[in-house]
Amino acid sequence: MTAQHILSQFRATGVQTCFHDRHINPQIFADLNGANWRLKDYEARGGYQALRKVLGIGGGEPMTQDQVIATVKESALRGRGGAGFPTGLKWSFMPRQFPGQKYLVCNSDEGEPGTCKDRDIMEFNPHIVIEGMAIAAYAMGITVGYNYIHGEIFSTYQRFEEALEEARAAGLLGNNILGSNFSFQLHAAHGFGAYICGEETALLESLEGKKGQPRFKPPFPASFGLYGKPTTINNTETFAAVPWIIRNGGQAYLECGKPNNGGTKIFSISGDVEMPGNFEVPMGTSFAKLLELAGGVRAGRQLKAVIPGGSSSPILPASIIMDCTMDYDSIAKAGSMLGSGAVIVLDDSRCMVKSLQRLSYFYMHESCGQCTPCREGTGWLSRVVDRIENGHGRPADMDLLDSVAEDIQGRTICALGDAAAMPVRAMIKHFRPEFEYHVAHKTCMVPAYV
Amino acid sequence: MISESTKARFAKEVAKYPADQKQSAVMACLSIVQQELGYVSPDSEKLVADYLGMAPMAVHEVTTFYNMYNQRPVGKYKLNVCTNLPCQLRDGVSTLQYLEKKLGISMGETTADGLFTLQQSECLGACADSPVMLVNDRSMCSFMTPEKLDQLVDGLRAAGDK
């Protein structure tokens, strides 16, 4: 066997993470099986009907740009990358009459620990992203777009390139799409191992061929984006939601979820559950239901805590998360963030100090080094958590951690500083006795795990 | 010297960007160099810089900023095992330790026969597939139990130069 053949045996099939019957009313993941990602399959599922509707192909008047944006506003679609910003509103910020080139960028640099949804979307339903981007481009009068894909999922990048070729060959991308006067060129680019490039302005720097250090805002990308031109950046899942909204209407999408939190959301569930994977469910589904879809806590253990929206979101103890519904507003009210919808589950055998140790190391490793509070502060956080875990902690260390975190938060150009600080503060807030026990006894309150 | 076939791959990347923004292709060009030569040497950086009309230092900034570029030669197979928290909760660390034992090296090292380099990595974006590892930047291997790790390592050893 060749090396390539050997390695291909271990490629994920999506059976465990995507093609299961444990979604609820899925839109993006509906009817996928891993083999039906090609253009003809997507069209058989109703694909590119939304783009045709927008362009007025096959009967009916074309939709105006304002109509498309109004529909997306009505849907209450909010950014799926983590910030939850209303998508229609973001699109309306774009200076549509700007005389020069404008750009559309898809942020597929999915590196937030816990998140693995965009990979499955692009791997198993790539055309839904292409169609969503084409509609967005039409709405904002944009003619060139890029999809920036996490470098580590290289085979997914190659899959997306193949889908682009199919779309171009069918006249769904390129000049005069489907014979209309709308033209849109879309290309794929890839990262190469830098968490920070998920931050939108770092991503733009990277697309320009530079090291990915975030830009100071304002100016925001809508006025000064890629190559200094007006640019709109949305997450992969956000674009993937758009075709359904156009086909079925903004109101119908809104009604799939709950007020101010329209539609379905894909949650990536990892950690201590029986069946980790991606689960597409209506916004506002209870956490308890989501946990049940993932098979419950592993090996019959008790739930201890949950990081509800990717590693940067504050951890919530079981008693709080079990009362939450999974939507932006409910999780924010509970003191955390829905973020990217990456749910990391920890059972009652887990030591919080050890868990935080790994996260703090990550943020130190990934700080781009541009802002002093983050560059130095993430190192302090990591070293102090390290010494607590290793039995050299001091009684004042918890207050020290909190104070270092406070000094980072809000004092950096981008959100990575906050992302490093928030988990630390939430861990100490909710699990302080565990940290104190570590300092006093130089060992864990709970059995060690590797 | 850049071979004609490599130049063709570079050109495909450059064509994605505006004519006055060739630098945008630097990430892809460096990854192509790494795939073909195993790592990005200062000489390669210079060639890419000339091809794209960039200062060599600007290329070097990219090589050194992004984690996946190899700045020195690595083994024929670079194994990157994710140990970030979601993977730590599902045997990511024990996977790394298993490979350390099996290969007789510590993370960050290369086997004496030059076949394997073992590294710890940050989030690969495949958290529900844990334990996961990335081989030679391009092949994600999911659900890597000890049996599968044996199969992978033994298989690659037997494959030799194939």
Side-chain angles (χ1 to χ4, degrees):
Chain A
M1 275 201 291
T2 64
Q4 211 43 54
H5 189 146
I6 292 163
L7 293 173
S8 67
Q9 300 172 80
F10 306 107
R11 184 169 171 170
T13 60
V15 170
Q16 296 94 329
T17 59
C18 188
F19 321 130
H20 47 66
D21 55 4
R22 288 170 285 125
H23 305 295
I24 301 176
N25 304 328
Q27 298 167 358
I28 296 168
F29 282 168
D31 304 319
L32 302 184
N33 63 21
N36 59 3
W37 62 272
R38 290 195 173 274
L39 176 59
K40 62 174 172 39
D41 307 305
Y42 182 61
E43 290 194 304
R45 292 195 294 273
Y48 290 107
Q49 288 304 322
L51 181 60
R52 286 188 164 85
K53 180 175 170 181
V54 164
L55 297 175
I57 310 270
E61 284 294 302
M63 288 174 77
T64 64
Q65 293 178 324
D66 286 327
Q67 282 172 333
V68 175
I69 292 177
T71 304
V72 174
K73 276 187 179 168
E74 185 187 20
S75 75
L77 171 64
R78 295 170 63 173
R80 302 300 196 226
F85 192 82
T87 304
L89 190 60
K90 188 186 252 188
W91 290 8
S92 70
F93 291 158
M94 201 61 169
R96 265 182 281 158
Q97 304 314 319
F98 181 81
Q101 184 68 55
K102 301 188 288 282
Y103 293 99
L104 185 67
V105 173
C106 178
N107 183 347
S108 300
D109 193 27
E110 183 178 53
E112 174 80 4
T115 321
C116 51
K117 63 189 175 67
D118 298 337
R119 176 191 68 152
D120 277 3
I121 297 172
M122 290 184 290
E123 185 83 22
F124 304 123
N125 204 7
H127 284 284
I128 202 170
V129 181
I130 298 173
E131 186 180 13
M133 288 190 77
I135 293 166
Y138 173 86
M140 291 176 276
I142 298 172
T143 56
V144 179
Y146 295 97
N147 184 7
Y148 184 99
I149 300 172
H150 197 219
E152 286 84 340
I153 51 171
F154 208 88
S155 57
T156 306
Y157 164 76
Q158 290 168 320
R159 163 74 50 94
F160 195 80
E161 288 263 52
E162 263 191 86
L164 286 175
E165 285 300 332
E166 286 189 318
R168 287 181 195 126
L172 295 158
L173 286 176
N175 293 328
N176 301 102
I177 290 174
L178 297 171
S180 71
N181 58 9
F182 169 57
S183 300
F184 180 53
Q185 319 293 335
L186 178 58
H187 304 283
H190 66 76
F192 223 58
Y195 168 70
I196 190 62
C197 291
E199 199 280 341
E200 61 182 12
T201 59
L203 187 154
L204 294 177
E205 289 287 302
S206 185
L207 256 183
E208 292 182 3
K210 303 169 189 162
K211 52 186 177 175
Q213 291 191 317
R215 299 175 182 170
F216 193 84
K217 293 188 273 192
F220 291 93
S223 51
F224 189 93
L226 184 62
Y227 310 128
K229 305 293 186 193
T231 302
T232 293
I233 307 164
N234 286 123
N235 169 252
T236 323
E237 187 187 353
T238 311
F239 284 124
V242 170
W244 196 98
I245 292 169
I246 297 298
R247 280 210 308 274
N248 300 282
Q251 186 63 30
Y253 188 80
L254 175 60
E255 284 166 8
C256 293
K258 60 185 264 194
N260 198 33
N261 296 265
T264 60
K265 171 85 189 85
I266 300 172
F267 292 96
S268 302
I269 307 188
S270 63
D272 295 320
V273 291
E274 284 291 341
M275 292 176 284
N278 288 312
F279 302 86
E280 186 179 355
V281 300
M283 277 284 186
T285 300
S286 70
F287 172 77
K289 179 68 189 172
L290 193 62
L291 183 61
E292 184 193 316
L293 293 175
V297 180
R298 189 155 55 156
R301 300 199 70 98
Q302 294 298 308
L303 181 68
K304 180 170 186 175
V306 171
I307 302 175
S311 63
S312 310
S313 64
I315 194 165
L316 295 174
S319 58
I320 295 180
I321 188 78
M322 286 306 281
D323 288 334
C324 288
T325 57
M326 298 303 286
D327 55 82
Y328 297 102
D329 297 338
S330 168
I331 300 293
K333 207 172 147 205
S336 187
M337 305 184 313
L338 192 72
S340 57
V343 179
I344 307 172
V345 176
L346 292 94
D347 72 27
D348 57 356
S349 72
R350 301 305 185 181
C351 166
M352 291 297 146
V353 182
K354 193 176 175 94
S355 300
L356 182 61
Q357 180 193 27
R358 187 63 186 85
L359 289 182
S360 292
Y361 173 82
F362 168 68
Y363 289 108
M364 174 183 69
H365 189 266
E366 297 299 327
S367 173
C368 82
Q370 190 173 211
C371 309
T372 307
C374 174
R375 183 186 64 242
E376 302 302 322
T378 52
W380 272 91
L381 294 177
S382 179
R383 288 189 297 273
V384 174
V385 178
D386 245 355
R387 78 179 179 211
I388 299 174
E389 168 65 18
N390 293 330
H392 305 295
R394 303 166 194 173
D397 275 355
M398 279 64 77
D399 291 334
L400 176 63
L401 283 172
D402 203 54
S403 122
V404 172
E406 191 182 352
D407 285 343
I408 300 173
Q409 230 176 320
R411 290 179 168 83
T412 54
I413 286 175
C414 84
L416 192 142
D418 296 352
M422 287 186 297
V424 170
R425 305 190 82 181
M427 281 280 196
I428 291 175
K429 178 179 162 196
H430 293 298
F431 297 99
R432 192 174 181 109
E434 255 186 70
F435 286 77
E436 288 170 345
Y437 187 95
H438 245 279
V439 171
H441 299 86
K442 305 188 185 309
T443 183
C444 265
M445 249 169 118
V446 290
Y449 71 93
V450 288
Chain B
M1 263 294 285
I2 308 176
S3 72
E4 287 308 311
S5 65
T6 305
K7 266 189 190 163
R9 294 180 72 189
F10 283 6
K12 199 169 161 241
E13 298 302 327
V14 169
K16 295 175 179 176
Y17 305 99
D20 58 347
Q21 300 290 350
K22 283 164 75 177
Q23 175 169 350
S24 283
V26 67
M27 301 271 293
C29 291
L30 289 173
S31 106
I32 290 168
V33 166
Q34 178 153 309
Q35 189 191 24
E36 295 184 356
L37 303 175
Y39 77 114
V40 180
S41 67
D43 287 344
S44 298
E45 286 178 350
K46 177 83 173 54
L47 289 171
V48 169
D50 289 346
Y51 184 86
L52 296 175
M54 294 169 67
M57 182 50 74
V59 177
H60 189 61
E61 280 191 345
V62 171
T63 315
T64 51
F65 187 83
Y66 297 89
N67 296 324
M68 288 165 66
Y69 294 114
N70 308 325
Q71 293 171 60
R72 54 194 68 80
V74 295
K76 188 170 171 163
Y77 300 105
K78 180 176 75 167
L79 313 179
N80 277 28
V81 181
C82 179
T83 59
N84 206 308
L85 181 60
C87 281
Q88 176 169 293
L89 298 171
R90 296 192 81 89
D91 302 325
V93 177
S94 55
T95 299
L96 182 63
Q97 290 168 343
Y98 185 87
L99 284 170
E100 286 184 325
K101 203 166 159 213
K102 183 166 178 76
L103 299 172
I105 54 174
S106 300
M107 68 174 186
E109 294 177 348
T110 300
T111 53
D113 59 7
L115 214 47
F116 296 100
T117 295
L118 182 62
Q119 294 180 340
Q120 163 176 276
S121 92
E122 292 306 337
C123 188
L124 297 172
C127 314
D129 296 3
S130 180
V132 282
M133 60 196 274
L134 185 64
V135 181
N136 285 355
D137 313 319
R138 294 185 182 220
S139 301
M140 187 85 75
C141 298
S142 295
F143 304 108
M144 297 308 286
T145 57
E147 298 74 42
K148 286 186 182 174
L149 292 169
D150 285 344
Q151 230 181 310
L152 182 138
V153 169
D154 298 344
L156 291 177
R157 274 182 182 147
D161 281 332
K162 273 184 282 184

